[in-house]
Amino acid sequence: MPPTPPAPMSSALRKLSNWSLRPNPTPTRKGRPHRGRPFFSPRSERRPRMYAAPLTELEAVNDMLAVIGQAPVNAFTANNSDQNIARQELAKVVREVCAYGFKFNTDEGHTLYPEIDGTVSIPSGALSVDPMDPRQDLTPRQHPDNGMCLWDAAHLSWTIEAPVVCRVRWSLTYDALPELARGYAVIRAGRKLQARLVGSPELDRFAAEDEQRAWLALQREQAATADINVFRASNEIAAKIVRGRVADRRFTK
């Protein structure tokens, strides 16, 4: 026997059920209900995202001390020899990373202007200064009086009349590095510290694997941020594409 269908609802009961499913109306100034957005909006329930802070130099040194089995420290002190050695190794690796040259510490088209006497001084904190104009045969050299300056090898002179557009690699501190560069510097510096103070082949093998993974991650980040293209990275390929013309047209006549 088929089931009996439910009895139809009355119009008043139907209105009451539909009204109960609606959100609570927000009263207006005149006491009339507002048919718009409910009082408790989903936007008000959003919470701010919690971001992790980058690795500090103190945390990096503590990670290096943990590699050699030493207890972490709360602050840098001058009488802790292991801590000082760890900071020295970390500073060396940071300088190596900056000397390699990445997008975060390289400026393309940095202009250096001559002084009154015609010398072009190397800015403080620059690890490498490479003039981008192929017609200028300039190289950094120690000036007798003004420190590091550009030397005109073509004319054997310190006097340079025109401004020089260079590619400059800057030496950054550990706190100025991006997160992936910090991670690689900590792993490599910890490996060098372990080899210097402990000398365990097993620990060195594990650290070498971690260092390789960190280096690959840093290279992927470099390729993504620098927009490396095989046709633009090589001057020979770029010259062939433009049919023998100079790829960088900023210095062509």
Side-chain angles (χ1 to χ4, degrees):
M1 182 176 181
T4 305
M9 299 176 59
S10 61
S11 59
L13 185 60
R14 187 181 299 108
K15 291 181 180 180
L16 181 61
S17 61
N18 294 338
W19 179 260
S20 62
L21 295 177
R22 297 178 181 178
N24 295 331
T26 303
T28 59
R29 294 181 180 179
K30 297 182 179 181
R32 298 179 181 179
H34 183 65
R35 302 290 183 179
R37 194 173 56 188
F39 179 73
F40 295 100
S41 173
R43 296 182 180 179
S44 61
E45 299 178 0
R46 294 180 181 177
R47 298 180 179 179
R49 297 180 180 179
M50 304 300 294
Y51 297 100
L55 189 67
T56 62
E57 185 180 3
L58 181 61
E59 294 174 345
V61 171
N62 286 332
D63 290 345
M64 296 173 59
L65 293 177
V67 173
I68 61 176
Q70 297 295 328
V73 295
N74 297 326
F76 294 125
T77 56
N79 55 359
N80 193 331
S81 59
D82 293 338
Q83 176 196 110
N84 295 332
I85 296 175
R87 293 190 70 183
Q88 293 175 4
E89 293 294 339
L90 183 61
K92 292 178 183 178
V93 174
V94 169
R95 183 172 290 271
E96 292 177 3
V97 172
C98 294
Y100 183 84
F102 289 92
K103 183 68 175 180
F104 56 80
N105 74 316
T106 303
D107 287 341
E108 300 279 349
H110 187 84
T111 305
L112 301 179
Y113 297 93
E115 302 292 341
I116 299 178
D117 56 354
T119 59
V120 178
S121 301
I122 302 298
S124 178
L127 290 176
S128 174
V129 176
D130 181 21
M132 302 180 64
D133 190 350
R135 299 172 300 177
Q136 293 179 331
D137 190 6
L138 305 177
T139 181
R141 184 176 294 185
Q142 182 70 27
H143 192 273
D145 301 325
N146 300 333
M148 292 296 296
C149 297
L150 289 180
W151 168 257
D152 191 351
H155 301 87
L156 302 179
S157 173
W158 294 105
T159 304
I160 302 174
E161 298 179 356
V164 182
V165 181
C166 303
R167 180 185 296 107
V168 183
R169 293 178 183 175
W170 301 99
S171 176
L172 305 179
T173 60
Y174 179 81
D175 294 333
L177 297 179
E179 186 64 22
L180 290 180
R182 295 187 187 190
Y184 170 76
V186 171
I187 296 175
R188 177 164 176 78
R191 181 186 177 189
K192 296 178 65 176
L193 181 66
Q194 188 277 139
R196 179 177 177 180
L197 300 182
V198 180
S200 173
E202 295 294 332
L203 295 178
D204 184 76
R205 181 169 58 87
F206 292 135
E209 297 176 358
D210 295 339
E211 179 182 340
Q212 183 67 20
R213 285 192 293 266
W215 177 253
L216 292 178
L218 183 58
Q219 289 292 332
R220 286 195 297 267
E221 181 70 14
Q222 167 71 7
T225 56
D227 297 331
I228 297 177
N229 189 293
V230 66
F231 300 105
R232 292 180 296 179
S234 175
N235 294 330
E236 297 180 0
I237 297 179
K240 292 180 180 179
I241 291 177
V242 296
R243 297 181 180 179
R245 292 176 294 178
V246 180
D248 194 349
R249 299 183 179 180
R250 289 178 296 177
F251 306 106
T252 57
K253 295 182 179 180

